Amino acid sequence: MSQQKSMLFALGWLVIFSLTGAGCGQQGPYPNRSITLICPWAVGGGTDRVSRFWADALQKELGKPVTVVNRTGGSGAVGHSAGVRARPDGYTLTTITFELCTMHRMGIPAAPTYDDYQCLLQINADPAAILVQNDAPWATLEEFLAAIRAEPGKLKMSGTATGGAWDLARAGLLQAAEIPTDAVIWVPTEGAAPSLHELLGGHIDAVCCSIPEAAQNLEGKTLRALVVMSEERLADFPDVPTAREAGVDWVAVGWRGLALPKETPAEIVQLLEEKCQSIAHSSAYRDFMQKQRFGLKIRDSSEFTDFLKAQDAQWHSVVESAGYARAP
Amino acid sequence: MIPGVFKQFLSLPWQEVLTWPVLVPWLLGMVFGVFVGATPGLTATMAVALIVPISFYLEPNAGLALIIGVSFTAIFAGDIPATYLRIPGTPASAAATLDGNELAKQGRGRLALVIDLLCSCLGGLIGVVVLMLIARPLAQFALFFSDFEYFWLGVLGLSLSALVSRGSTLRGLIAAALGILISTVGTDVMGGVPRYTFGSFELLDGLNFIPVMIGLFGFAEVLRNVSSSQPMATSTIPSQETGVAKASVQEIWKYKWLVLRSALLGTGIGALPGAGADIAAWGAYGFAKVTSRNPEQLGTGAIEGVVAPTSANNAAVAGAWIPALVFGIPGDAVTAIVLGAMMMYNITPGPQLFESGTQVQAIFLIALVTQVLLLPAGLLGIKAFGWILRLPRRLVLTAVMVFSVVGAFAIRNSLFDIYVMFAFGLIGFFLEAKKVPLAPVILGLILGDLIEKKLRAGLISSGGDLTPMFTRPICAALVGLLVIALVLVPAVRWLRMRMRAE
C-alpha cells in the first residue's frame, strides 16, 4: 500500500475516534481540557438525544470539547454509578434519569441514589399517559378504570419491561384509584415503540408511556390519550385531562437532569450551574425540546434536589406495594 | 403494475434531491459509514447517532441523505472485516463471516466482498422498491405479529441453525443450547430477578452480544493460528485475484433467484419491530441452506452463503422503515434515531407523512440512489481494507487482536466487555478444537433471548393458555413451516438418496 493511502486510512480512524473518545490533561483554570457527559442509556434513545444536545451546547459555552459517553447496563445502574464514582473535578457530568429514584429499591447491586450526586439542574419532564386505540370503548379514564374494576385481570397493558418507569406509573395510578395493581395484566416489552405496535395490532388494550413517545400516533389520530399524569394539562395536547381532574390524585413524571459527583468544588458547581441555566433558558433549547416533543421543565439545583427527595419517597411506596421491592 | 412502478419512479423529486448541497454530505456520509461499519464494535446505530447532530445543520433532504447513506453503507461495511478477519463489523454481519471468511482463506476474499457488495446493493434496492409499493399492506400484516408469532419465528430460526451447521447435528444442537444458556445471563425482563450475575452489575444487562461475537470468531481465530505449527511469516493470501468484477456478476446471475428470495425475506423480517438485520441475515442463510442443492457446501466457502445473508441484511434496513413511515413507530434503533432527526426538520413521521406525499417521495428517492452510490463507496472500503490481505500473517493477527480489543470496548465503553471478549475467545477456541460449530452459538444467543421473552410475555398475556400458540393463524403457518423444514425436507432428501442408490 502506498504511503498516501495509509495516511488517508489512518486519518479516517482518527476522525472516528476523536468523535467517540476523550482528551488528555493540561494545566490552567477550569475548564482546561475536554469534558465527559455520561449517558446511562443507549445511543439513539431519548436520553441520548437530550444528552447530545447538552454536550453540544456546553461545548459552545465552555469552549472545551464535551463528549457523550454511553455507559449502559444494569437498567441504568452502570451509568449512574459511573457518574457517582467519577473524579469530582467537574470534568465528568452525568445525565441522571427517573430510574435513579427507583433502582436502589429494586435489588440492583450498588445502585446509587440522588443523595450520592451534586445536582445541577432538571432539564426535562415528561408525564406518563395512558393511550388506547382511537376506537376503544372507553372515552375517559373513569370508564377505563370502571372496566378494570368490573373484570379484574382481563385488560392488558404494556409500555416497558416489568418494573420499568411506565409500569410503576400505571401501578401508582391504580393504587391511587384503590384498585389492586394486578387487576391489569402488564405484558413486558422492550419499550414504548414495540408496545405501541402491539396496541395498534390489537394484542393489548392500552399502553402507558410518555406523550412524546406516542406523539406521532396522537397527531395522526390512530391512538387517543385517556389521561396524562401531570399536574396540569399539556400545552400541546390541551384536550387530554389530568388524572387529578378525573378524580385520581396521582402524578407520575419521567424526568431528566444533569448532576456532578458529590465532592465537586463549589466554584466549579457554581460556574456550571450558571452556564447550564443560560442554556436551559435559551431559545435554541426551547426549540429543540419542542421539535422533539420533549416536555420542558427547568428546576435549579436546590429545587431539583427537593424534587428528587419527594420522588424518592413517592416511588418507594409504589415499588413496595406493587411487589417489586427487593434488597440488593 | 409495471407501468405504474415506472410512473412512480419518474415522478420522484429528482431535481430537488440530486443537487450538490445534497450530494456532498451524502457521499461524505457514506465514506464515514464505510469506516465506522468496518470497525468492529462500532455499529451502524452508532454511526447514525454520531452523524445526526451534524445533519441538523443541513437542509432536510441533505440531512436525510446523510443519515440514510450512513446506515446502508455501515451495514455493508460490517461485512469487510467479517470476510477478511472473521470479525463481524456489526451484528448484522455475523452470518457473513461463515462463507465469506472461508473464501478469503482460499484466496478469494475480494471476490466474496464484491459479490457481497453487489448483493447488498440489490438487496437494498429490492427492499426499497417493496417499501415504495406495498409498505402499507406489509405494515398491516406485521401488526398481526405478537409474542407467540415471534416465538415461533425464533424457534424456526434456531431449528434451521442446528440443521444448517456443518458437521454433526448433535454438535450443532449442543452449540445452540450453549448460546441459549449464554442468553439467559442477566436480569430477567419479566420478574426483574438477576440470573447468573454473581452480584456483578456489569452482568445485569446480560452478556453483550458484540464482545461475545468478537471473542468467539475473532480472538479464537488468533488463538488457533498461534497454536498451529505453520510458519507465521507467510502472507495470508498468496495470489492476486483478477477478473473479479466479471466473475462476481456471473455468480450473482447464477443465484439471481436466491438474491430476490433473500431480499424479500430480509425486508419482511426488517418490517417487524421485534427483529432486525441480524436475524434477517441468519434467516436468509438458513433458508438458503435448506433449499440449496448442495447444502453440505455452505459453510465451506460457498457463494450462496455469501449471497443470501448479505442480500437480506441490507433489505432489512429498508424493511425497518416500513413501520416507521406507516405508523411512526421505529422498526429498529437506526430508524428510532432517524425519526428523532426528522422531527428536527419539522417532518412528522407516520400516517400523515405517508399520505401527504412529497417528503416521503424524497426519502424513497434518496434510499434508491443510496444503493447505487453504495457501489463506489463500498469498493473504496474493500480497497482500503484490502491491504490487510497482503500483510504477513503475524501482522494480520496483531490487527485482529487490536480490532478485537477496541471493538469489545467501544460498544459501551466498558473494560468488562474486553474480559468477556477474551473469555469467549478461549471458549470459541476450545469449541472449534472439538469441532463444535460456532454459528449456532451466536444464533442461540440472539434468538434464545427473543424466544424466552416472547414465550413468557405471550403466556402472561394469554393467562398461561397454550392453545393460542397453535391456533393463531400466523402461528399455525409458522408451525407448518417448522414441520416442513424439520420433517419433510430431510425425508425428501432421504428418499432421493435412496432412489439414487437404487
Side-chain angles (χ1 to χ4, degrees):
Chain A
M1 180 169 59
S2 71
Q3 191 87 30
Q4 216 173 8
K5 265 192 207 159
S6 58
M7 287 298 287
L8 260 176
F9 196 69
L11 195 71
W13 264 321
L14 269 180
V15 170
I16 287 159
F17 285 114
S18 61
L19 279 164
T20 54
C24 46
Q26 282 144 28
Q27 293 299 308
Y30 177 87
N32 56 38
R33 59 185 167 89
S34 67
I35 294 169
T36 301
L37 177 60
I38 295 178
C39 170
W41 301 97
V43 166
T47 306
D48 180 65
R49 267 184 263 155
V50 176
S51 300
R52 282 176 200 277
F53 175 92
W54 275 88
D56 202 35
L58 279 168
Q59 182 163 336
K60 281 180 199 136
E61 283 284 324
L62 297 168
K64 290 287 165 202
V66 181
T67 35
V68 175
V69 174
N70 300 81
R71 296 289 309 271
T72 60
S75 312
V78 169
H80 279 106
S81 45
V84 168
R85 285 179 317 201
R87 197 175 299 164
D89 53 8
Y91 289 100
T92 310
L93 281 82
T94 309
T95 310
I96 57 175
T97 64
F98 170 87
E99 287 74 9
L100 183 61
C101 286
T102 57
M103 61 178 147
H104 65 106
R105 310 281 186 203
M106 302 178 74
I108 291 168
T113 71
Y114 75 94
D115 209 26
D116 297 322
Y117 276 108
Q118 165 67 51
C119 298
L120 273 177
L121 80 168
Q122 181 179 346
I123 55 179
N124 149 254
D126 286 311
I130 289 185
L131 305 141
V132 294
Q133 289 216 16
N134 208 25
D135 55 1
W138 319 285
T140 61
L141 178 67
E142 288 96 325
E143 289 180 30
F144 182 66
L145 293 177
I148 296 173
R149 279 199 192 93
E151 284 179 281
K154 180 167 175 279
L155 294 185
K156 287 177 251 178
M157 288 181 69
S158 188
T160 181
T162 305
W166 309 130
D167 182 18
L168 293 173
R170 71 90 210 176
L173 178 80
L174 292 180
Q175 275 171 31
E178 292 172 349
I179 299 173
T181 51
D182 58 1
V184 168
I185 298 176
W186 187 263
V187 182
T189 49
E190 285 177 326
S195 307
L196 293 170
H197 202 257
E198 293 272 310
L199 179 61
L200 286 176
H203 307 290
I204 54 176
D205 302 293
V207 163
C208 181
C209 68
S210 73
I211 290 275
E213 288 169 306
Q216 283 115 35
N217 287 286
L218 288 172
E219 284 160 14
K221 305 238 182 298
T222 48
L223 297 179
R224 185 152 60 78
L226 290 179
V227 65
V228 55
M229 304 181 202
S230 52
E231 309 208 355
E232 285 157 26
R233 292 191 182 205
L234 299 182
D236 286 342
F237 298 92
D239 301 337
V240 183
T242 65
R244 281 185 181 156
E245 287 174 52
V248 183
D249 187 19
W250 175 247
V251 172
V253 176
W255 49 263
R256 300 183 176 100
L258 296 181
L260 289 162
K262 194 92 188 177
E263 310 292 319
T264 310
E267 63 274 15
I268 291 179
V269 176
Q270 205 190 343
L271 175 84
L272 282 171
E273 259 192 282
E274 278 164 24
K275 300 287 185 195
C276 287
Q277 283 294 337
S278 78
I279 295 168
H281 292 101
S282 66
S283 61
Y285 188 52
R286 205 176 318 127
D287 191 42
F288 170 82
M289 295 298 271
Q290 170 149 36
K291 283 184 173 162
Q292 295 283 332
R293 311 285 195 284
F294 288 132
L296 188 63
K297 176 79 196 176
I298 311 296
R299 282 187 171 96
D300 69 23
S301 170
S302 67
E303 287 168 351
F304 189 31
T305 312
D306 292 343
F307 169 72
L308 292 186
K309 198 171 173 182
Q311 283 280 302
D312 207 80
Q314 175 185 351
W315 294 108
H316 188 185
S317 70
V318 175
V319 169
E320 292 256 292
S321 45
Y324 295 139
R326 206 168 277 123
Chain B
M1 175 126 171
I2 298 299
V5 176
F6 194 65
K7 224 167 137 190
Q8 194 178 357
F9 188 68
L10 281 182
S11 69
L12 293 172
W14 293 90
Q15 289 94 342
E16 287 158 50
V17 170
L18 295 184
T19 57
W20 286 115
V22 179
L23 277 167
V24 170
W26 199 346
L27 290 168
L28 286 176
M30 294 184 80
V31 173
F32 176 78
V34 166
F35 274 92
V36 176
T39 308
L42 299 184
T43 60
T45 313
M46 278 194 213
V48 174
L50 288 173
I51 214 86
V52 158
I54 299 168
S55 76
F56 293 157
Y57 296 103
L58 303 171
E59 54 139 333
N61 280 339
L64 285 170
L66 179 68
I67 295 167
I68 294 173
V70 169
S71 66
F72 278 97
T73 328
I75 292 283
F76 159 72
D79 296 345
I80 298 175
T83 303
Y84 282 161
L85 303 177
R86 205 179 174 227
I87 306 177
T90 67
S93 305
T97 54
L98 303 176
D99 288 271
N101 186 250
E102 287 298 328
L103 280 168
K105 282 180 186 155
Q106 294 162 18
R108 295 161 76 201
R110 174 161 292 177
L111 175 73
L113 276 176
V114 173
I115 291 178
D116 185 331
L117 176 63
L118 288 170
C119 288
S120 297
C121 298
L122 289 171
L125 273 178
I126 295 168
V128 176
V129 170
V130 169
L131 173 69
M132 287 171 65
L133 296 180
I134 56 163
R136 192 173 290 271
L138 201 60
Q140 290 295 340
F141 179 72
L143 281 182
F144 288 114
F145 270 71
S146 186
D147 301 316
F148 285 137
E149 283 81 4
Y150 281 113
F151 166 75
W152 284 116
L153 201 64
V155 172
L156 189 65
L158 205 56
S159 327
L160 289 180
S161 84
L163 282 182
V164 302
S165 60
R166 287 166 63 189
S168 90
T169 308
L170 179 67
R171 289 202 170 89
L173 284 172
I174 291 175
L178 184 69
I180 296 174
L181 179 68
I182 299 168
S183 78
T184 59
V185 174
T187 311
D188 156 27
V189 277
M190 308 292 145
V193 183
R195 299 186 299 200
Y196 307 117
T197 57
F198 307 102
S200 108
F201 66 44
E202 274 101 348
L203 281 173
L204 277 179
D205 273 358
L207 286 161
N208 196 300
F209 167 64
I210 290 187
V212 170
M213 193 172 71
I214 293 176
L216 280 179
F217 286 101
F219 186 54
E221 182 77 1
V222 174
L223 292 176
R224 209 164 56 135
N225 275 285
V226 170
S227 66
S228 81
S229 52
Q230 287 168 5
M232 299 277 282
T234 51
S235 168
T236 337
I237 305 306
S239 63
Q240 283 281 351
E241 293 171 75
T242 49
V244 167
K246 201 172 156 218
S248 53
V249 171
Q250 281 170 345
E251 290 286 356
I252 288 178
W253 185 247
K254 203 164 120 197
Y255 293 114
K256 52 188 180 295
W257 298 115
L258 182 64
V259 173
L260 183 67
R261 229 165 44 199
S262 307
L264 291 177
L265 183 74
T267 316
I269 294 180
L272 300 172
D278 48 350
I279 294 180
W282 285 108
Y285 187 89
F287 194 47
K289 180 133 183 180
V290 169
T291 54
S292 167
R293 284 209 194 94
N294 311 303
E296 68 285 349
Q297 284 184 7
L298 269 95
T300 61
I303 301 295
E304 285 166 280
V306 175
V307 169
T310 55
S311 308
N313 63 11
N314 272 46
V317 177
W321 281 80
I322 290 172
L325 290 179
V326 177
F327 301 127
I329 294 174
D332 62 0
V334 171
T335 41
I337 303 173
V338 179
L339 291 191
M342 284 164 95
M343 291 197 285
M344 290 306 287
Y345 304 130
N346 286 326
I347 306 170
T348 307
Q352 314 91 301
L353 173 69
F354 216 72
E355 267 143 31
S356 67
T358 49
Q359 194 58 52
V360 98
Q361 297 292 330
I363 294 173
F364 288 157
L365 181 59
I366 289 168
L368 279 178
V369 179
T370 295
Q371 312 307 326
V372 181
L373 294 179
L374 181 57
L375 272 178
L379 283 173
L380 173 86
I382 296 174
K383 252 195 140 75
F385 285 81
W387 58 272
I388 290 176
L389 293 186
R390 290 194 289 278
L391 292 175
R393 209 159 59 127
R394 57 198 154 82
L395 288 184
V396 175
L397 294 181
T398 316
V400 174
M401 279 297 302
V402 171
F403 271 107
S404 300
V405 172
V406 169
F409 179 76
I411 188 68
R412 53 177 192 184
N413 302 300
S414 157
L415 272 178
F416 181 80
D417 285 340
I418 298 181
Y419 306 139
V420 170
M421 185 276 292
F422 280 130
F424 277 90
L426 289 171
I427 294 172
F429 174 67
F430 173 76
L431 290 178
E432 286 214 308
K434 295 287 170 204
K435 299 215 164 29
V436 178
L438 295 178
V441 180
I442 289 295
L443 213 51
L445 179 57
I446 305 177
L447 294 178
D449 190 52
L450 180 83
I451 290 171
E452 191 209 344
K453 277 184 192 154
K454 297 301 181 185
L455 175 63
R456 292 179 64 188
L459 287 174
I460 288 179
S461 168
S462 74
D465 186 3
L466 287 172
T467 38
M469 280 178 80
F470 303 96
T471 54
R472 294 172 63 103
I474 295 173
C475 286
L478 288 170
V479 173
L481 275 178
L482 198 63
V483 171
I484 292 173
L486 292 181
V487 182
L488 287 183
V489 171
V492 167
R493 251 191 215 136
W494 182 75
L495 277 177
R496 219 187 260 158
M497 282 215 328
R498 279 201 56 171
M499 269 159 56
R500 239 181 255 159
E502 278 163 21

